[in-house]
Amino acid sequence: MKKGEKRKQELLKIAYDMFLSQGYENTSVDEIIARAKIAKGTYYYYFPSKEKMLEDVIEMMIESEVETAGQVIGSDMPVPQKIVAIITSIKPAEAEQPIKDALMQPENVLMHNKIRKKLIEVVVPLLSEVVEEGINKGIFACDNIAERVRMLLIISNDTFNDRIFTESDIAVFIDMTEKLLGADKGTMSFIYDLIDKSEMEVSK
Amino acid sequence: MKKGEKRKQELLKIAYDMFLSQGYENTSVDEIIARAKIAKGTYYYYFPSKEKMLEDVIEMMIESEVETAGQVIGSDMPVPQKIVAIITSIKPAEAEQPIKDALMQPENVLMHNKIRKKLIEVVVPLLSEVVEEGINKGIFACDNIAERVRMLLIISNDTFNDRIFTESDIAVFIDMTEKLLGADKGTMSFIYDLIDKSEMEVSK
DNA sequence: CATAAAACCGACCGATAGTCGAAAAGGAGG
DNA sequence: CCTCCTTTTCGACTATCGGTCGGTTTTATG
């Protein structure tokens, strides 16, 4: 018999692995408890529902990403680079390939969406801080920071996480980012060099 | 006994109503066949699965919206107004309130996402046409039209369909649209007057 | 050692999407 | 009207799944 909190973490870890490898909808509670070698009742002693468990799993995933973002903010990186670093740290792109694949799968909409929503909610304040720093340093010039940052995240998510992108997508993303934040042309063009060319579709 | 295609349309119509009023996930096949007064087997004679039926329903919904968009394109409306008209015709905002509520419900993620994806895929070419017209008339100035239009749709969807928006959101949306398409400042500010103020959160 | 709290068990439940073999209806030709 | 084939309909049945519940075992406490 395990002590409460420890067992919960154990279950969370198992669920995390299974959700990512087979998707949330395709992972049954029965499978989870089979792998954990516990009974139905025990599972529901720790989680009120399967969906609530998903929420916990997501929270777990996000925590580590927020930590990374925090380090970036505190670093002495140039502001534009900070922005990009946070945006990329945020997306599971830096995780292993199977994770990205799992999230791309259409049957994982629920999980995908919950992560996206939570991530945005959590990251907007962080990124806003950085943009503010940029404004103070004269690199950016804009109002309504939170709203702009949100758009940035939405777009970057759609462009780089949810689908295959082309060179044109990058070009427009750079252009849009600069204009959205009121930066000089060229401020963000370093992004282009960061992109892993292998991820890209051949542009036509 | 009904002739094939007619029955299918009848079922599609029933499903459409029910999906919108109670959500896809909350509508069981049993409920659908009860309302249609047919047996399980008959249902599965027409649709291989519930999800495939959803796809058909969505296709039905989209067709009508594309039609509207086509009329807008052919009209003599000013180009900026055309853009907005298409964007708003696209979103179920013009449908009745309960429909919007249904789509907002988190349990409708699947349907919501499928619509969004399909809609963007279908509308990007249409909107691109209009932007091109704007460029020819000297109202807009930009390259990579399709990519920019896509961003516009993604943003407008997130801002106006998926959540409650504030005045700041509108301001940023207008600013971003103008810059994204390379329009003069003020070109899109008429949007502000179109917004149904009752839909808005009180801005702080 | 007694008692209470925490952790665990698994049979059971209700709902749901989907299957299947057979029956009824419709139509075409004789 | 009868025959034969196709289209459409039927509804009982299945498998799976998330979740419940009453009761048992383990652990901590004093």
Side-chain angles (χ1 to χ4, degrees):
Chain A
M1 206 179 247
K2 307 232 178 166
K3 246 182 58 204
E5 191 54 26
K6 186 163 181 187
R7 163 127 299 167
K8 192 167 184 178
Q9 291 308 319
E10 174 197 349
L11 296 179
L12 246 22
K13 176 68 172 63
I14 290 175
Y16 169 84
D17 290 341
M18 298 185 80
F19 288 170
L20 284 183
S21 62
Q22 355 174 343
Y24 170 75
E25 327 267 6
N26 299 333
T27 305
S28 69
V29 173
D30 283 338
E31 285 179 278
I32 297 176
I33 65 177
R35 170 126 18 145
K37 296 217 182 74
I38 59 169
K40 243 333 177 12
T42 307
Y43 176 92
Y44 281 97
Y45 175 74
Y46 288 102
F47 305 98
S49 71
K50 191 189 165 194
E51 195 161 342
K52 181 62 181 61
M53 188 201 211
L54 171 61
E55 235 110 75
D56 288 353
V57 167
I58 290 177
E59 207 154 308
M60 204 176 96
M61 295 170 67
I62 297 219
E63 259 172 39
S64 81
E65 284 165 5
V66 168
E67 223 170 284
T68 317
Q71 291 173 356
V72 170
I73 293 181
S75 78
D76 58 351
M77 220 178 275
V79 175
Q81 271 80 355
K82 274 190 188 175
I83 305 263
V84 174
I86 290 178
I87 287 181
T88 50
S89 86
I90 250 44
K91 53 191 67 157
E94 54 167 27
E96 310 87 49
Q97 186 61 31
I99 296 186
K100 288 172 60 188
D101 289 347
L103 286 181
M104 279 275 245
Q105 278 166 17
E107 64 253 33
N108 256 346
V109 219
L110 214 184
M111 186 160 121
H112 191 274
N113 257 61
K114 285 209 154 129
I115 292 181
R116 202 172 60 98
K117 206 170 163 184
K118 188 91 191 182
L119 221 33
I120 285 178
E121 177 190 310
V122 158
V123 172
V124 164
L126 298 179
L127 248 192
S128 294
E129 219 178 288
V130 179
V131 170
E132 206 126 13
E133 185 192 342
I135 292 178
N136 291 335
K137 293 191 174 166
I139 302 171
F140 301 142
C142 62
D143 55 356
N144 295 315
I145 301 175
E147 288 80 0
R148 288 170 196 271
V149 163
R150 179 177 234 276
M151 285 193 187
L152 207 58
L153 285 172
I154 296 282
I155 291 293
S156 79
N157 196 69
D158 173 77
T159 307
F160 301 121
N161 295 9
D162 291 353
R163 59 191 182 91
I164 299 168
F165 55 89
T166 67
E167 282 200 28
S168 300
D169 284 313
I170 306 173
V172 175
F173 178 78
I174 291 175
D175 180 51
M176 192 214 121
T177 305
E178 290 170 353
K179 285 172 176 163
L180 199 59
L181 300 180
D184 289 339
K185 188 157 178 55
T187 308
M188 305 303 288
S189 35
F190 68 95
I191 292 176
Y192 194 84
D193 306 318
L194 300 178
I195 307 284
D196 179 1
K197 296 306 187 296
S198 65
E199 283 184 44
M200 235 186 307
E201 216 182 27
V202 189
S203 48
K204 345 86 203 258
Chain B
M1 203 179 242
K2 308 226 177 166
K3 240 182 63 202
E5 192 53 27
K6 185 163 182 189
R7 164 126 297 168
K8 191 167 182 178
Q9 291 307 318
E10 175 198 349
L11 295 179
L12 245 23
K13 176 68 173 63
I14 290 175
Y16 170 84
D17 289 342
M18 299 184 80
F19 289 170
L20 285 182
S21 62
Q22 349 173 345
Y24 169 76
E25 326 267 6
N26 299 332
T27 305
S28 68
V29 174
D30 282 339
E31 285 179 278
I32 298 175
I33 67 176
R35 169 124 21 141
K37 296 218 183 72
I38 59 168
K40 241 336 175 11
T42 307
Y43 176 90
Y44 282 97
Y45 176 73
Y46 289 101
F47 304 98
S49 71
K50 192 189 166 195
E51 193 162 343
K52 181 60 182 59
M53 189 200 210
L54 171 61
E55 233 110 76
D56 288 353
V57 167
I58 289 177
E59 206 154 309
M60 206 175 97
M61 295 172 67
I62 299 226
E63 257 172 41
S64 82
E65 284 165 5
V66 167
E67 223 170 284
T68 317
Q71 291 173 359
V72 171
I73 292 181
S75 77
D76 58 351
M77 218 179 275
V79 174
Q81 270 81 355
K82 274 190 189 175
I83 304 264
V84 174
I86 290 177
I87 287 180
T88 50
S89 85
I90 250 45
K91 54 192 67 158
E94 53 168 27
E96 312 85 50
Q97 186 62 30
I99 295 186
K100 287 173 59 189
D101 289 347
L103 285 182
M104 279 274 246
Q105 277 167 17
E107 64 254 33
N108 256 345
V109 215
L110 214 184
M111 185 160 125
H112 192 274
N113 256 62
K114 284 206 157 134
I115 292 180
R116 202 171 61 97
K117 207 171 162 183
K118 189 94 191 179
L119 221 33
I120 285 179
E121 178 190 310
V122 158
V123 171
V124 164
L126 298 178
L127 248 192
S128 294
E129 218 178 290
V130 179
V131 170
E132 206 127 14
E133 184 191 342
I135 291 178
N136 291 334
K137 292 188 174 165
I139 301 170
F140 301 141
C142 63
D143 55 357
N144 295 316
I145 300 174
E147 288 81 1
R148 288 171 195 273
V149 163
R150 179 176 233 274
M151 284 192 187
L152 206 59
L153 286 173
I154 296 282
I155 291 293
S156 80
N157 195 71
D158 174 77
T159 306
F160 301 120
N161 295 10
D162 291 353
R163 59 193 183 91
I164 299 167
F165 54 88
T166 67
E167 283 199 27
S168 300
D169 284 313
I170 306 173
V172 174
F173 178 78
I174 291 175
D175 179 52
M176 192 214 120
T177 305
E178 290 171 352
K179 285 173 177 162
L180 200 59
L181 301 180
D184 288 340
K185 186 155 180 57
T187 309
M188 307 302 290
S189 34
F190 68 95
I191 291 176
Y192 194 84
D193 305 319
L194 299 178
I195 307 284
D196 180 2
K197 296 304 187 299
S198 64
E199 285 184 43
M200 234 185 309
E201 213 181 30
V202 189
S203 49
K204 343 90 200 261

